[in-house]
């Protein structure tokens, strides 16, 4: 009986999503998890009353990044579909919050990860979900 190809399947037989460019996606999402979690945890614990909406949105972004990172590492068709949906929701959030912060900056006394389409994070928050969706669609 031939051995399983470990480059295309995980130990549980799930299709890998972290080969090639997928590995870069996992790394970038991991960096965004650390940044968004650190930022939101600090801001929520020290100055939540100053900008509760902005800090809550940063925490929401951190959860989205963590879920997508986990799904990419987990692999498999179910994880791929879940990550694809989460990337679409993430992109919708970035576009909505980005537009909101550009049109009504007075609504946010402080910035979020997704403010101005992620300008404070070199626009990675708007580029990452698009790249993620393209990668996940290609891995069908």
């Amino acid at each position: 009986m031939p051995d399983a190809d470990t480059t295309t399947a995980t130990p549980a037989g799930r299709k890998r999503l972290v080969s090639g460019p997928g590995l870069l996606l996992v790394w970038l999402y991991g960096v965004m998890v650390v940044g968004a979690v650190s930022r939101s945890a600090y801001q929520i614990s020290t100055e939540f009353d100053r900008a509760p909406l902005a800090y809550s949105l940063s925490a929401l972004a951190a959860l989205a990044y963590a879920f997508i990172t986990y799904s990419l590492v987990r692999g498999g068709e179910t994880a791929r579909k879940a990550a694809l949906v989460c990337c679409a929701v993430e992109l919708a959030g970035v576009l909505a919050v980005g537009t909101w912060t550009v049109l009504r900056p007075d609504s946010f006394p402080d910035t979020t990860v997704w403010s101005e389409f992620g300008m404070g994070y070199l626009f990675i928050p708007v580029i990452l979900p698009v790249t993620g969706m393209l990668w996940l669609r290609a891995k069908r």
Side-chain angles (χ1 to χ4, degrees):
M1 184 165 155
D3 293 329
D5 180 4
T6 58
T7 61
T8 59
T10 64
R14 293 183 297 265
K15 187 174 180 183
R16 288 178 49 102
L17 299 173
V18 293
S19 59
L23 187 58
L24 179 60
L25 275 176
V26 167
W27 186 84
L28 286 171
Y29 268 113
V31 168
M32 293 304 291
V33 168
V34 171
V37 166
S38 302
R39 175 188 184 127
S40 63
Y42 173 78
Q43 290 173 322
I44 287 171
S45 65
T46 61
E47 48 196 30
F48 185 73
D49 56 333
R50 182 169 163 237
L53 178 60
Y55 303 153
S56 297
L57 288 170
S58 289
L60 180 65
L63 289 174
Y65 297 145
F67 180 79
I68 293 167
T69 303
Y70 170 77
S71 296
L72 289 169
V73 170
R74 177 167 172 76
E77 185 59 17
T78 302
R80 186 193 70 78
K81 288 178 181 177
L84 188 59
V85 168
C86 196
C87 282
V89 171
E90 175 195 356
L91 180 61
V94 172
L95 294 176
V97 172
T99 303
W100 190 359
T101 56
V102 167
L103 297 178
R104 298 286 314 256
D106 55 314
S107 298
F108 290 86
D110 204 352
T111 60
T112 75
V113 173
W114 294 340
S115 290
E116 298 171 331
F117 308 102
M119 186 167 70
Y121 288 81
L122 304 174
F123 297 103
I124 292 171
V126 76
I127 295 167
L128 206 51
V130 172
T131 307
M133 287 188 298
L134 291 172
W135 173 251
L136 291 164
R137 287 197 64 211
K139 295 301 283 185
R140 281 189 280 184

